[in-house]
Each structure stands twice: as C-alpha cells, then as structure tokens.
Amino acid sequence: MAHDHHHDTHGPAHQQEHGHGHGHGNGHTHDHADVDWAEMAPHLEAQAELYTPLYRQAMTWLAREVTEPGLVVDVGSGPGVVSCLFADTFPGARVVAADGAAPLLERARARAERLGFGDRFGTLAGDLPGALSELDYPADLMWASQSLHHLPDQRAALAALGGHLAPGGTLAILEGGLPARFLPRDIGIGRPGLQARIRAVEEDAFAEMRADLPDSVAEAEDWAAMLTAAGLKHTGTRSFLLDLPAPVSDAARDYVTTSLSRLRERIGERLDAEDRATLDRLLDPADEAGVHRRQDLFVLVAHTVYTAVRPV
C-alpha cells in the first residue's frame, strides 16, 4: 500500500511502512503521487531487514500450516524483503510480489536475483486487490501485512483476496498486535510517559484517517470474525515478538531516529508544548539525551498474524 502513514498497530513503528505493504496505488483512497518511492526504498528495506527475526518466526509457523505451496503472493510487497523471505522459506514455491509502486518492485526483482531466487520470482504492478486478477493461477498462500486497515471496506477486501486463493489455500494477514516501544517510561527529560501520550495522539489520528476514507465502512477490529464473514475459515491467530534490547545496533538506532522524525513531522503539532519540546530534544543529534546517543534505547514490538483457509 503506497502509504506514508507511520502506523504500526496505530503506533510509531509504521513510519517506514514496514519495509513492504505498499500495494494500492490509485486504487487506494489516499493520494501518494508525491511519494518518491525510489528515495524511500532504502529506508523501507532497512526496516524490513531489522524486522526479519519477527517475520522468520511468522514464516516458521506458517510453514507448519501450509505445506509445499505452489504459488505464494505477497500483497503489498514493497521492495521485496519479505517476498524473498517467503522464497527462502518455501524453496519449491513460485513467489509473486504484488505492489502499486513500480520502483519498489524493481528493487524486489533485483533482490530476488541477487539472492538466487530470480527463476521463481515474479512481480505484479497495479492497484490492489484488483491487480491480482492478472495472476496466472490462484495462490496457495497469500500474505498481506498491515495493508487492509488502509482500505475503506476491509471485509470486502478480505473477500477479494480470498477469491484469488486456490481451494484449500491460506490467507495470512498481519494486523494489530502491540505498538513499538523505544524508550523507558521515564527518560530523564520531560514528563514521564511520553510514548504513551504519543500513542494516544496516534490513535486519534488513525481513527480520523479511517473516517476520512471515501466510502469508509466502520468495522470492529475482530479480524477472525471479518475473515469468517468474507467466506473464509479462520484457522489460527498468533503474535510474534521483535525484541532488540539495549544497547541497540546502529541499524536499530537509525530506525528509531527515522521513526520518531517522521512522527514529529506528522503529528508533532498535536502534542502539547512540553512533549513537543521533549521530542525535539530526543531528535537533536547534539543532545546527550537524544536518541542518537542514548544507551537505553531498545525496540520492542509484537505483530499478530491471522490465518484463514478458502473452503474446498
């Protein structure tokens, strides 16, 4: 989904769009024509690579549910980091990375070639889920990571995805979980609880985003129930943890810095003056209390995956 919404379970880890999950193009209800995907791609790749331990856990679980799929489709693949993880997890499968941003799919193809998956790796450019009609045959496993919550009618989108599954095929969606935490409750500057208050502001911003979508359909976020209503059989729910304790790697520090910087741009003016000043200090490279230098920085986040099968 071609977004820049900084949403990760309505929290600050979505700033770089999970390294994938960019599929809807003009079929999406937001206008992202001004997004420079070639410029964004390295950041998206870096975040997905940082989250690879979490994705690996999810794929190990999926591999027990789905044995020897012939076709795996990554819906909203972005630059293909996760698509290539699927190719590695399922060595007998053909993998298709589907996305609305052509520059990201170019990166996906190059990555697959570099990793030796090029002969069984394809890409599909276009508005999602509509572009999936161009698939040569139905998917045995379809993955959609944090993309559905940006579509106006989530239940209809689930039904559309399910329609491109082979009988007995599995749809796995990554939605919800717990928002990323980067800092202790009391960071020694400002009022304790900064991230909790940022979280509350983001929840409001997310609710407004959903409400502003043309033809938005309000849904209780019961994904198992929505999958069932879409004609699929819910088969499992599991959450996976990314736990990068302090002191963090340079890659994790860069991720936190970029995440908070994008958050400052997007919702900074909705914070009170004290919290805004604290956030500005955190983002100041010269400040000893900033995230560029802090030794108590960490990354802790949980993502939830729901699986459902198309009835035979």
Side-chain angles (χ1 to χ4, degrees):
M1 55 186 179
H3 317 301
D4 192 15
H5 285 297
H6 313 193
H7 171 276
D8 173 24
T9 59
H10 325 335
H14 193 78
Q15 285 78 333
Q16 299 175 48
E17 301 309 316
H18 359 288
H20 69 303
H22 302 80
H24 306 289
N26 295 329
H28 188 288
T29 48
H30 300 300
D31 180 10
H32 297 286
D34 59 340
V35 177
D36 186 340
W37 292 114
E39 179 184 348
M40 283 286 291
H43 300 293
L44 303 178
E45 289 174 345
Q47 178 172 338
E49 287 166 356
L50 192 72
Y51 273 60
T52 289
L54 184 153
Y55 294 129
R56 288 280 192 194
Q57 295 171 53
M59 289 182 192
T60 297
W61 178 61
L62 286 175
R64 292 196 291 266
E65 305 289 318
V66 183
T67 57
E68 300 183 358
L71 175 63
V72 177
V73 180
D74 183 359
V75 181
S77 64
V81 176
V82 174
S83 311
C84 287
L85 291 176
F86 274 111
D88 185 52
T89 300
F90 298 106
R94 175 170 176 76
V95 175
V96 171
D99 202 278
L104 298 182
L105 290 178
E106 292 173 11
R107 301 284 289 239
R109 279 191 293 270
R111 187 181 193 91
E113 291 286 350
R114 189 167 65 249
L115 294 175
F117 305 134
D119 61 338
R120 54 188 181 88
F121 190 93
T123 59
L124 179 59
D127 300 342
L128 298 174
L132 297 178
S133 61
E134 298 177 29
L135 290 170
D136 293 334
Y137 45 91
D140 301 297
L141 174 60
M142 188 171 288
W143 168 267
S145 174
Q146 293 183 327
S147 53
L148 290 162
H149 60 239
H150 287 280
L151 295 176
D153 190 336
Q154 298 167 103
R155 188 183 304 188
L158 288 171
L161 293 179
H164 296 290
L165 288 173
T170 293
L171 173 63
I173 61 168
L174 188 155
E175 289 286 352
L178 296 173
R181 291 297 300 262
F182 307 139
L183 295 160
R185 183 191 65 88
D186 190 335
I187 60 175
I189 59 173
R191 186 158 52 106
L194 174 67
Q195 274 206 269
R197 290 189 298 279
I198 289 175
R199 162 75 166 172
V201 171
E202 286 207 299
E203 288 283 5
D204 289 341
F206 180 78
E208 291 172 11
M209 182 278 291
R210 286 285 315 158
D212 288 344
L213 293 174
D215 303 316
S216 179
V217 177
E219 289 275 4
E221 291 181 354
D222 182 343
W223 290 100
M226 278 193 275
L227 286 162
T228 301
L232 303 171
K233 179 183 177 183
H234 174 235
T235 53
T237 301
R238 182 142 174 208
S239 295
F240 303 95
L241 189 69
L242 180 68
D243 180 10
L244 306 177
V248 294
S249 66
D250 290 343
R253 190 177 297 275
D254 289 346
Y255 160 64
V256 172
T257 303
T258 301
S259 295
L260 293 179
S261 296
R262 291 183 177 279
L263 185 148
R264 175 64 175 89
E265 294 168 6
R266 192 174 67 89
I267 64 165
E269 297 309 310
R270 299 173 71 151
L271 300 173
D272 67 31
E274 183 180 7
D275 283 345
R276 195 160 55 245
T278 301
L279 186 54
D280 287 342
R281 283 195 65 185
L282 285 170
L283 291 169
D284 183 353
D287 197 318
E288 289 292 340
V291 294
H292 296 82
R293 305 189 183 197
R294 300 186 71 95
Q295 294 304 301
D296 58 356
L297 210 63
F298 59 90
V299 178
L300 183 64
V301 61
H303 283 334
T304 302
V305 178
Y306 301 84
T307 57
V309 170
R310 179 175 182 174
V312 176

PDB file of all heavy atoms in Angstrom, residues 56 68 70 77 116 132 184 192 220 245 249 271 285 310:
ATOM      1  N   ARG A  56      10.638 -14.148  10.302  1.00  0.00           N
ATOM      2  CA  ARG A  56      11.082 -15.541  10.284  1.00  0.00           C
ATOM      3  C   ARG A  56      10.231 -16.397  11.224  1.00  0.00           C
ATOM      4  O   ARG A  56       9.875 -17.538  10.894  1.00  0.00           O
ATOM      5  CB  ARG A  56      12.552 -15.625  10.695  1.00  0.00           C
ATOM      6  CG  ARG A  56      13.524 -15.109   9.654  1.00  0.00           C
ATOM      7  CD  ARG A  56      13.762 -16.131   8.577  1.00  0.00           C
ATOM      8  NE  ARG A  56      14.889 -15.767   7.720  1.00  0.00           N
ATOM      9  CZ  ARG A  56      15.131 -16.338   6.556  1.00  0.00           C
ATOM     10  NH1 ARG A  56      14.329 -17.293   6.103  1.00  0.00           N
ATOM     11  NH2 ARG A  56      16.178 -15.966   5.828  1.00  0.00           N
ATOM     12  N   GLU A  68       4.323 -27.053   1.288  1.00  0.00           N
ATOM     13  CA  GLU A  68       4.685 -27.079  -0.136  1.00  0.00           C
ATOM     14  C   GLU A  68       3.712 -26.292  -1.023  1.00  0.00           C
ATOM     15  O   GLU A  68       3.138 -26.848  -1.973  1.00  0.00           O
ATOM     16  CB  GLU A  68       4.811 -28.522  -0.620  1.00  0.00           C
ATOM     17  CG  GLU A  68       5.877 -29.309   0.130  1.00  0.00           C
ATOM     18  CD  GLU A  68       6.037 -30.722  -0.423  1.00  0.00           C
ATOM     19  OE1 GLU A  68       5.292 -31.085  -1.350  1.00  0.00           O
ATOM     20  OE2 GLU A  68       6.916 -31.444   0.081  1.00  0.00           O
ATOM     21  N   GLY A  70       2.466 -24.051  -4.036  1.00  0.00           N
ATOM     22  CA  GLY A  70       2.985 -23.858  -5.388  1.00  0.00           C
ATOM     23  C   GLY A  70       3.180 -22.391  -5.712  1.00  0.00           C
ATOM     24  O   GLY A  70       4.139 -22.008  -6.379  1.00  0.00           O
ATOM     25  N   SER A  77       3.911  -5.760  -1.455  1.00  0.00           N
ATOM     26  CA  SER A  77       5.244  -6.292  -1.127  1.00  0.00           C
ATOM     27  C   SER A  77       6.300  -5.245  -0.872  1.00  0.00           C
ATOM     28  O   SER A  77       7.321  -5.536  -0.254  1.00  0.00           O
ATOM     29  CB  SER A  77       5.718  -7.175  -2.280  1.00  0.00           C
ATOM     30  OG  SER A  77       5.874  -6.377  -3.452  1.00  0.00           O
ATOM     31  N   GLY A 116      19.412 -15.332  -5.551  1.00  0.00           N
ATOM     32  CA  GLY A 116      19.314 -16.604  -6.260  1.00  0.00           C
ATOM     33  C   GLY A 116      17.910 -17.140  -6.436  1.00  0.00           C
ATOM     34  O   GLY A 116      17.720 -18.317  -6.742  1.00  0.00           O
ATOM     35  N   LEU A 132      -4.688  -8.376  -8.752  1.00  0.00           N
ATOM     36  CA  LEU A 132      -4.469  -9.815  -8.563  1.00  0.00           C
ATOM     37  C   LEU A 132      -5.205 -10.645  -9.612  1.00  0.00           C
ATOM     38  O   LEU A 132      -4.907 -11.829  -9.791  1.00  0.00           O
ATOM     39  CB  LEU A 132      -4.911 -10.240  -7.156  1.00  0.00           C
ATOM     40  CG  LEU A 132      -4.127  -9.611  -6.000  1.00  0.00           C
ATOM     41  CD1 LEU A 132      -4.687 -10.071  -4.661  1.00  0.00           C
ATOM     42  CD2 LEU A 132      -2.636  -9.950  -6.094  1.00  0.00           C
ATOM     43  N   PRO A 184      12.297   3.919  27.813  1.00  0.00           N
ATOM     44  CA  PRO A 184      11.689   3.677  29.116  1.00  0.00           C
ATOM     45  C   PRO A 184      10.571   4.687  29.404  1.00  0.00           C
ATOM     46  O   PRO A 184      10.480   5.734  28.738  1.00  0.00           O
ATOM     47  CB  PRO A 184      12.853   3.874  30.097  1.00  0.00           C
ATOM     48  CG  PRO A 184      14.094   3.818  29.282  1.00  0.00           C
ATOM     49  CD  PRO A 184      13.715   4.292  27.908  1.00  0.00           C
ATOM     50  N   PRO A 192       7.379  11.993  32.408  1.00  0.00           N
ATOM     51  CA  PRO A 192       7.379  10.555  32.139  1.00  0.00           C
ATOM     52  C   PRO A 192       6.131  10.133  31.351  1.00  0.00           C
ATOM     53  O   PRO A 192       5.070  10.744  31.456  1.00  0.00           O
ATOM     54  CB  PRO A 192       7.393   9.934  33.537  1.00  0.00           C
ATOM     55  CG  PRO A 192       8.042  10.971  34.404  1.00  0.00           C
ATOM     56  CD  PRO A 192       7.566  12.290  33.851  1.00  0.00           C
ATOM     57  N   ALA A 220     -15.673  -3.332  13.694  1.00  0.00           N
ATOM     58  CA  ALA A 220     -14.945  -3.725  14.889  1.00  0.00           C
ATOM     59  C   ALA A 220     -13.738  -4.531  14.422  1.00  0.00           C
ATOM     60  O   ALA A 220     -13.847  -5.367  13.517  1.00  0.00           O
ATOM     61  CB  ALA A 220     -15.827  -4.572  15.805  1.00  0.00           C
ATOM     62  N   PRO A 245      17.009  -5.554  22.599  1.00  0.00           N
ATOM     63  CA  PRO A 245      17.276  -4.843  23.847  1.00  0.00           C
ATOM     64  C   PRO A 245      18.442  -3.861  23.720  1.00  0.00           C
ATOM     65  O   PRO A 245      19.265  -3.946  22.796  1.00  0.00           O
ATOM     66  CB  PRO A 245      17.615  -5.974  24.820  1.00  0.00           C
ATOM     67  CG  PRO A 245      18.154  -7.070  23.959  1.00  0.00           C
ATOM     68  CD  PRO A 245      17.426  -6.965  22.653  1.00  0.00           C
ATOM     69  N   SER A 249      21.817  -1.948  17.939  1.00  0.00           N
ATOM     70  CA  SER A 249      22.722  -1.812  16.801  1.00  0.00           C
ATOM     71  C   SER A 249      22.534  -0.446  16.151  1.00  0.00           C
ATOM     72  O   SER A 249      21.536   0.255  16.382  1.00  0.00           O
ATOM     73  CB  SER A 249      22.431  -2.903  15.779  1.00  0.00           C
ATOM     74  OG  SER A 249      21.128  -2.717  15.225  1.00  0.00           O
ATOM     75  N   LEU A 271       0.843  17.377  19.735  1.00  0.00           N
ATOM     76  CA  LEU A 271       1.338  17.151  21.099  1.00  0.00           C
ATOM     77  C   LEU A 271       1.336  18.470  21.862  1.00  0.00           C
ATOM     78  O   LEU A 271       1.380  19.553  21.264  1.00  0.00           O
ATOM     79  CB  LEU A 271       2.766  16.599  21.051  1.00  0.00           C
ATOM     80  CG  LEU A 271       2.968  15.274  20.313  1.00  0.00           C
ATOM     81  CD1 LEU A 271       4.455  14.964  20.208  1.00  0.00           C
ATOM     82  CD2 LEU A 271       2.231  14.146  21.011  1.00  0.00           C
ATOM     83  N   PRO A 285      20.773  15.656  17.344  1.00  0.00           N
ATOM     84  CA  PRO A 285      21.993  14.837  17.367  1.00  0.00           C
ATOM     85  C   PRO A 285      23.033  15.324  18.374  1.00  0.00           C
ATOM     86  O   PRO A 285      23.876  14.532  18.820  1.00  0.00           O
ATOM     87  CB  PRO A 285      22.532  14.967  15.934  1.00  0.00           C
ATOM     88  CG  PRO A 285      21.380  15.402  15.107  1.00  0.00           C
ATOM     89  CD  PRO A 285      20.524  16.231  16.016  1.00  0.00           C
ATOM     90  N   ARG A 310      -9.514 -20.902   2.349  1.00  0.00           N
ATOM     91  CA  ARG A 310     -10.663 -20.918   1.441  1.00  0.00           C
ATOM     92  C   ARG A 310     -11.233 -22.323   1.414  1.00  0.00           C
ATOM     93  O   ARG A 310     -10.513 -23.293   1.153  1.00  0.00           O
ATOM     94  CB  ARG A 310     -10.240 -20.505   0.035  1.00  0.00           C
ATOM     95  CG  ARG A 310     -11.406 -20.528  -0.955  1.00  0.00           C
ATOM     96  CD  ARG A 310     -11.016 -20.014  -2.319  1.00  0.00           C
ATOM     97  NE  ARG A 310     -12.176 -20.023  -3.210  1.00  0.00           N
ATOM     98  CZ  ARG A 310     -12.183 -19.515  -4.445  1.00  0.00           C
ATOM     99  NH1 ARG A 310     -11.083 -18.954  -4.928  1.00  0.00           N
ATOM    100  NH2 ARG A 310     -13.260 -19.564  -5.184  1.00  0.00           N
TER     101      ARG A 310
END
